Amino acid sequence: MGTVETEIKFRSDMDVELIKSAASDADVLWAARVSTKGESSLAELEADPQRSKGLINFLMRDRHGTPFEHSSMTFYISAPIFVFREFMRHRTFSYNEESGRYRQLVPVFYVPGPDRKLVQEGKPGKYVFKDGSPEQHKLVTEATQESYRQSYRAYLEMLEAGVAREVARTVLPVGLYSSMYATCNARALMNFLSLRTKREDSTFPSFPQREIEMVAEKMEELWAGLMPLTHEAFEANGRVCP
């Protein structure tokens, strides 16, 4: 079998794109009002959601969550494998990820950027992360890059020797970038954001790993553009999933 020689790349950012969506504040309104208006609730599809801002806030505040499920968003995400392993704990999403069984994996690897806090202090459940020293950042950069080069070299050697891709990939680290599609509704996304972002105004504290928080922040920005009133109510009510 032939292998493709590709230059190893290192990066510290995440890619998030909104591929398709069927999500608006109006979706929340017609779903909520069917309980009192029946089929006439469909008129809300043409209504101005701004006029019903109070209803959306009421649903969020009193945690009437099901009306927020009548929406759909599909994101394309490129991030290190270890981010995806955390991501897939959220079983209200649907996922499809690229496979190392069926393609030669591209050598793009995550190296923490200079603003990544490196030092962990405190007890379990009360960790505090602090900036690393220049020497620690230098060590992290050099050690991870060398490890990545060595592992990808071993991966290519096995492929060139005719070893199956699904076996050769065992030497690759979780810092390798992968890609996936993730589909969810607004309620599932709010649950994800409540756990994977850290905000001082949150009702319940959250302590996400920075790398998955970087993904979550980009997803939230895209969602806020689709459903601004819902997002506003989410923030106003302590960033709690209804």
Side-chain angles (χ1 to χ4, degrees):
M1 61 178 295
T3 58
V4 179
E5 291 286 348
T6 307
E7 181 183 357
I8 292 179
K9 296 180 181 179
F10 304 112
R11 52 183 296 198
S12 60
D13 59 332
M14 312 293 165
D15 289 333
V16 178
E17 299 177 32
L18 182 66
I19 300 302
K20 65 176 183 176
S21 66
S24 70
D25 293 316
D27 297 331
V28 181
L29 300 176
W30 58 256
R33 287 186 166 139
V34 72
S35 61
T36 57
K37 292 188 175 183
E39 63 183 19
S40 64
S41 66
L42 292 175
E44 299 298 330
L45 290 171
E46 306 299 328
D48 178 10
Q50 190 70 40
R51 292 169 48 203
S52 298
K53 180 179 178 179
L55 174 57
I56 292 176
N57 188 71
F58 162 76
L59 296 170
M60 191 77 68
R61 185 194 68 208
D62 286 16
R63 305 190 72 181
H64 297 290
T66 52
F68 298 100
E69 295 178 4
H70 297 272
S71 57
S72 177
M73 293 160 279
T74 297
F75 299 92
Y76 169 82
I77 302 167
S78 177
I81 289 173
F82 68 82
V83 171
F84 287 178
R85 297 305 161 260
E86 286 195 329
F87 220 118
M88 291 174 184
R89 296 169 68 89
H90 297 268
R91 293 182 294 275
T92 50
F93 282 63
S94 297
Y95 303 102
N96 280 94
E97 184 182 355
E98 70 174 280
S99 174
R101 297 184 67 191
Y102 305 120
R103 60 168 297 187
Q104 179 177 324
L105 296 171
V106 178
V108 180
F109 296 96
Y110 175 75
V111 177
D115 58 342
R116 176 57 158 100
K117 297 181 183 299
L118 297 182
V119 180
Q120 177 178 304
E121 296 180 355
K123 299 178 180 180
K126 293 186 178 180
Y127 290 133
V128 175
F129 286 87
K130 297 185 176 181
D131 294 331
S133 66
E135 293 76 19
Q136 287 173 319
H137 277 282
K138 182 174 183 292
L139 173 62
V140 168
T141 298
E142 292 178 352
T144 54
Q145 289 184 354
E146 176 55 31
S147 176
Y148 291 150
R149 290 189 183 99
Q150 182 177 349
S151 66
Y152 199 75
R153 190 181 309 121
Y155 174 67
L156 289 181
E157 287 176 358
M158 284 191 279
L159 293 181
E160 290 167 357
V163 176
R165 287 183 290 262
E166 65 184 51
V167 177
R169 66 178 174 171
T170 58
V171 299
L172 295 174
V174 293
L176 179 74
Y177 274 73
S178 186
S179 61
M180 72 172 178
Y181 293 110
T183 299
C184 64
N185 61 47
R187 190 184 193 188
L189 182 58
M190 284 186 279
N191 178 66
F192 174 79
L193 295 175
S194 71
L195 295 169
R196 300 301 183 178
T197 59
K198 184 176 182 178
R199 301 288 179 86
E200 295 300 325
D201 57 348
S202 295
T203 300
F204 301 104
S206 183
F207 305 95
Q209 185 165 335
R210 178 55 189 153
E211 286 76 13
I212 196 169
E213 185 179 35
M214 292 165 66
V215 173
E217 288 170 349
K218 291 190 173 186
M219 293 175 71
E220 181 167 1
E221 182 179 0
L222 292 166
W223 169 60
L226 294 173
M227 304 178 71
L229 298 182
T230 302
H231 179 257
E232 181 181 336
F234 174 62
E235 289 203 308
N237 289 279
R239 298 179 65 84
V240 177
C241 177

